[in-house]
């Protein structure tokens, strides 16, 4: 179980997150939706401390971190217990697919190179990249790069994988192959926190959907409830925009 | 009467080639020291620790802002006047010192630019898998920065080789110094300086070839 309490983040004087409380069960798949600029990505980036939160605390994998006094060790621990999938893939440009996935195992977990490469190979096979082990990022399509990105996140064997709009930068033709890899992970009950605009994915896969607006969690619940009977007007408004008029107002 | 004394040039050529090791030795030593110093300066300029950063800026500003010849004279003739024990500083040492300080100022800026030029997403990805700052530098940033910096650094090395010719003003008998001596005893100035020009030219041309090979190897990962 992962617990976030009172997570607050300012950019300068502007509040981006206003004291977020969030509990994540082991094996839970949570999708975060909401208008852009409402702190969804910042929430993910605060959990693994790519951004430094201003207040609040988190308990993750038995490690408690108070954001008021964060040590370097805390930062490393949170990052090592989580994994991150970036919108722009962010594969290491100087390393091939295999090395990208194996990097963490070698550097952070201290695996011998051969063992790490063998494991990385299995993971790449699982995301359907059997024939791309030695390809460099520049030679891969967006969809392939993002699947390497997911394999890299899987290598961590982490308590939580954070997906920051993993399909937003993709050409439409590559979206499905990435979503299907994510679905497969969800079926294996990998704990996931996914920021996305793919509403169908949220409906099909999420255990819980969170709607964020203005740096707050406005509403949350199982996808069928949230999509068919949103309580808050902001949620209704947003769903009407992304799903079309009849979708959200029919109930 | 022939225009050029080719016989003299053919005689001079192997003699001058014998001086090439001094020239290349000073340049290589200077390059190695400059690389180390420049990397240090570049990291200081990137991380910007308060006091040292100011010192690094001043250093870079001075050694880029004054002629190499002035710096060489400063070290060779000037320093011993201040520090007794340096009375015996020889021309070769002074040249290597001058080349190191002078070129490290330039190289620091291009290494800094290469490091800063690495996309932020590379750093974030490295942090996200739990790398420490030094692992991230060593495994992700510096290898990628090397690729960007190598062409410029090789150009500085070429420039440095040619700049060793200034050592003759400190009495070092390297390529240029040797040529100067030969020319003033034979009075065949054109032949002598043409010969030495060709030697420099060929060396630089060879290095350019090596530079191309290095760039091709470093770019291998980035081809579509």
């Amino acid at each position: 179980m992962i617990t976030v309490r009172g997570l607050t983040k300012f950019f300068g004087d502007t509040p981006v997150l206003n004291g977020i409380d969030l509990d994540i069960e082991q094996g839970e798949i949570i999708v975060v939706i909401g208008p852009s600029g409402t702190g969804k990505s910042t929430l993910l980036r605060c959990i693994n401390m790519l951004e430094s939160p201003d207040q609040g605390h988190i308990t993750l994998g038995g490690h408690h971190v108070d954001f008021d006094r964060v040590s370097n060790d805390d930062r490393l621990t949170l990052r090592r217990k989580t994994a991150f999938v970036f919108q722009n893939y962010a594969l290491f440009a100087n390393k091939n697919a295999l090395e990208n996935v194996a990097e963490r195992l070698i550097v952070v977990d201290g695996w011998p190179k051969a063992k790490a490469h063998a494991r990385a190979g299995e993971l790449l096979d699982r995301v359907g990249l059997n024939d791309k082990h030695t390809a460099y990022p520049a030679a891969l399509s967006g969809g392939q790069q993002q699947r390497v990105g997911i394999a890299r996140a899987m290598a961590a064997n982490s308590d939580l994988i954070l997906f920051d709009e993993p399909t937003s930068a993709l050409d439409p033709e590559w979206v499905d192959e990435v979503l299907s890899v994510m679905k497969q992970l969800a079926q294996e009950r990998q704990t996931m926190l996914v920021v996305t605009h793919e509403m169908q994915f949220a409906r099909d896969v999420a255990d819980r959907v969170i709607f964020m607006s203005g740096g707050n969690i406005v509403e949350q619940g199982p996808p069928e409830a949230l999509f068919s009977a949103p309580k808050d007007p902001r949620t209704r408004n947003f769903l009407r925009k992304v799903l079309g008029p009849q979708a959200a107002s029919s109930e | 009467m022939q225009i050029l004394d080719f016989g003299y040039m053919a005689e001079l050529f192997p003699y001058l080639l014998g001086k090439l090791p001094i020239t290349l030795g000073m340049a290589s030593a200077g390059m190695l020291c400059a690389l180390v110093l420049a990397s240090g300066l570049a990291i200081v300029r990137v991380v910007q620790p308060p006091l040292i950063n100011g010192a690094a800026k001043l250093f870079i500003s001075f050694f880029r802002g004054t002629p190499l010849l002035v710096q060489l004279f400063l070290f060779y003739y000037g320093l011993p006047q201040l520090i007794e024990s340096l009375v015996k500083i020889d021309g070769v040492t002074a040249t290597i010192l001058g080349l190191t300080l002078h070129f490290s100022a330039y190289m620091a800026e291009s290494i800094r630019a290469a490091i800063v030029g690495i996309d932020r997403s590379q750093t974030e990805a490295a942090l996200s898998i739990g790398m420490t700052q030094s692992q991230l530098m060593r495994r992700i940033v510096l290898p990628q920065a090397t690729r960007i910096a190598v062409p410029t650094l090789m150009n500085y090395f070429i420039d440095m080789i040619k700049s060793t010719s200034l050592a003759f003003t400190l009495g070092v008998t390297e390529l240029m110094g040797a040529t100067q001596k030969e020319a003033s005893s034979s009075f065949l100035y054109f032949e002598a300086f043409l010969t030495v020009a060709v030697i420099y030219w060929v060396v630089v041309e060879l290095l350019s070839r090596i530079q191309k090979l290095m760039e091709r190897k470093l770019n291998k990962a980035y081809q579509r």
Side-chain angles (χ1 to χ4, degrees), chain B residues 101-166:
Chain B
L101 300 184
H102 184 78
F103 280 91
S104 67
Y106 284 94
M107 285 158 53
E109 285 299 288
S110 51
I111 295 175
R112 185 192 66 84
I115 292 176
V116 172
I118 303 300
D119 198 287
R120 208 183 140 64
S121 70
Q122 297 290 309
T123 317
E124 291 197 336
L127 291 176
S128 84
I129 64 170
M131 280 195 194
T132 62
Q133 285 289 343
S134 71
Q135 287 169 336
L136 139 77
M137 262 295 166
R138 239 182 22 249
R139 300 189 61 100
I140 307 297
V141 175
L142 288 182
Q144 294 189 34
T146 303
R147 166 178 165 261
I148 302 174
V150 155
T152 342
L153 295 180
M154 279 300 278
N155 284 342
Y156 283 130
F157 185 46
I158 285 170
D159 203 2
M160 201 184 272
I161 291 174
K162 292 184 290 182
S163 299
T164 55
S165 59
L166 291 176

Side-chain angles (χ1 to χ4, degrees), chain B residues 21-63:
Chain B
I22 305 174
T23 290
L24 291 182
M26 287 192 297
S28 306
M31 186 69 186
L32 280 179
C33 298
L35 267 178
V36 173
L37 183 56
S39 306
L41 285 168
I43 288 173
V44 168
R45 295 289 292 118
V46 172
V47 182
Q48 308 210 336
L51 273 175
I52 320 172
N53 187 38
K57 266 165 91 168
L58 186 68
F59 176 92
I60 291 170
S61 166
F62 177 79
F63 283 100

Side-chain angles (χ1 to χ4, degrees), chain A residues 221-242:
Chain A
E224 54 282 11
L226 192 119
F227 281 112
S228 59
K231 293 189 197 76
D232 195 281
R234 283 169 290 181
T235 320
R236 274 202 293 275
N237 213 344
F238 173 76
L239 289 176
R240 197 175 303 129
K241 268 190 203 139
V242 295

Side-chain angles (χ1 to χ4, degrees), chain B residues 66-124:
Chain B
T66 51
L68 176 57
L69 188 59
V70 173
Q71 293 164 14
L72 290 179
F73 278 26
L74 200 56
F75 295 134
Y76 187 67
Y77 297 112
L79 271 191
Q81 185 187 323
L82 290 183
I83 310 163
E84 289 288 325
S85 59
L86 283 181
V87 169
K88 286 204 170 107
I89 190 171
D90 61 285
V92 172
T93 312
T95 304
I96 293 174
L97 181 64
L99 291 174
T100 299
L101 300 184
H102 184 78
F103 280 91
S104 67
Y106 284 94
M107 285 158 53
E109 285 299 288
S110 51
I111 295 175
R112 185 192 66 84
I115 292 176
V116 172
I118 303 300
D119 198 287
R120 208 183 140 64
S121 70
Q122 297 290 309
T123 317
E124 291 197 336

Side-chain angles (χ1 to χ4, degrees), chain A residues 13-88:
Chain A
D13 291 334
T14 318
V16 190
L17 296 173
N18 301 312
I20 300 285
D21 295 333
L22 179 63
D23 291 333
I24 305 171
E25 299 290 340
Q26 165 134 30
E28 194 176 14
I29 287 96
I30 301 180
V31 169
V32 184
I33 60 171
S36 40
T38 53
K40 306 185 299 289
S41 292
T42 309
L43 171 63
L44 297 197
R45 293 166 60 85
C46 281
I47 290 177
N48 81 340
M49 306 230 47
L50 282 181
E51 304 283 353
S52 298
D54 293 306
Q55 278 171 39
H57 52 89
I58 184 170
T59 308
L60 196 160
H63 192 81
H64 182 83
V65 177
D66 209 324
F67 292 133
D68 289 338
R69 34 173 199 284
V70 179
S71 68
N72 235 341
D73 268 355
D74 289 336
R75 223 169 264 135
L76 282 183
T77 307
L78 285 183
R79 288 176 185 152
R80 287 171 182 182
K81 285 176 180 293
T82 57
F84 205 95
V85 176
F86 294 85
Q87 181 175 351
N88 62 358

